[in-house]
Amino acid sequence: MYGIDRANYVPNRRDAYTDSPQLIGCNATISAPHMHAHGAELLLPHLAPGASVLDVGSGTGYLTAVFQRLVGSGRVTGIEHIEQLVELGRTNTMRDGFAAALADGRLSFVLGDGRKGWAPRAPYSAIHVGAAAPCIHPELVEQLAAPGRMIIPVDGTLGQDLWQVDKDAAGAVSRTKLFPVVVRPCC
Ligand code: SAH
């Protein structure tokens, strides 16, 4: 994460390193740095060079860029349901040195409803979901590679919880509730 400067992705550079979310327009936020760190760290075993990654709710493109830097020759797809934010992800990463990755398809931002993933580029070794869902849609689990891991915030009885969904090399799926979080809902 030190390799990607958050200042290039936030609307107000003065607050770039404050550990809190910031509004980015369209009623969306860039997540707090500690949430980005959790996402990257938990997925790290599945972010080897060459891996395929899906970032649901890519927003500013910050974490999408972190994933691209880690997988190198692999392919990272950010999906957003707001067109301006698809453009924001593209513009921010283009400005931040990812022009070649955008041009050759190693990094792309697509417009769509990511609640059920993005089937055209599945399977993914790692799926990061940045907005809270009422449940874990089976389509997302189907789109995980074997082995693969997904990190997803899910509505619980007392707020939201971050869940880790693992698929092993034989295709067996396990789910682990990690810790409570506060993130924006999927819509
Ligand atoms: N990870 C990003 C943004 C996190 S905020 C960052 O840190 O910059 C959650 C994002 O999820 C918002 O950008 C919001 O527009 C997006 N989102 C919400 N529901 C969505 C859906 N159904 N499909 C795709 N994106 C969605």
Side-chain angles (χ1 to χ4, degrees):
M1 278 180 57
Y2 283 120
I4 312 289
D5 191 346
R6 200 165 179 269
N8 295 329
Y9 293 80
V10 294
N12 186 347
R13 293 176 75 91
R14 207 185 43 198
D15 296 328
Y17 312 115
T18 307
D19 196 14
S20 61
Q22 282 184 41
L23 288 168
I24 57 172
C26 306
N27 200 28
T29 56
I30 178 171
S31 303
H34 74 271
M35 284 304 296
H36 285 154
H38 282 311
E41 193 167 37
L42 290 162
L43 291 170
L44 197 58
H46 298 271
L47 296 172
S52 182
V53 182
L54 180 67
D55 185 19
V56 178
S58 47
T60 60
Y62 175 80
L63 197 55
T64 332
V66 170
F67 293 148
Q68 205 294 314
R69 183 62 55 82
L70 287 165
V71 304
S73 61
R75 189 151 77 161
V76 181
T77 306
I79 182 166
E80 251 297 334
H81 68 147
I82 297 174
E83 196 162 6
Q84 293 98 305
L85 297 180
V86 174
E87 276 315 308
L88 182 68
R90 277 197 199 116
T91 310
N92 285 343
T93 50
M94 176 76 80
R95 241 191 357 226
D96 198 29
F98 289 88
L102 286 163
D104 66 21
R106 283 177 294 126
L107 176 62
S108 45
F109 293 92
V110 298
L111 177 65
D113 180 355
R115 281 176 291 188
K116 296 184 179 177
W118 181 248
R121 297 204 179 130
Y124 305 99
S125 298
I127 299 178
H128 175 266
V129 183
C135 64
I136 302 174
H137 285 289
E139 287 87 345
L140 281 168
V141 180
E142 276 160 27
Q143 290 171 31
L144 263 186
R149 174 172 290 174
M150 171 164 61
I151 297 298
I152 178 169
V154 182
D155 297 338
T157 41
L158 296 169
Q160 304 151 342
D161 299 299
L162 197 64
W163 283 79
Q164 177 174 306
V165 179
D166 282 306
K167 193 183 274 186
D168 70 16
V173 175
S174 58
R175 295 157 192 241
T176 313
K177 186 164 41 164
L178 298 174
F179 44 80
V181 288
V182 179
V183 293
R184 300 233 153 192
C186 264
C187 29

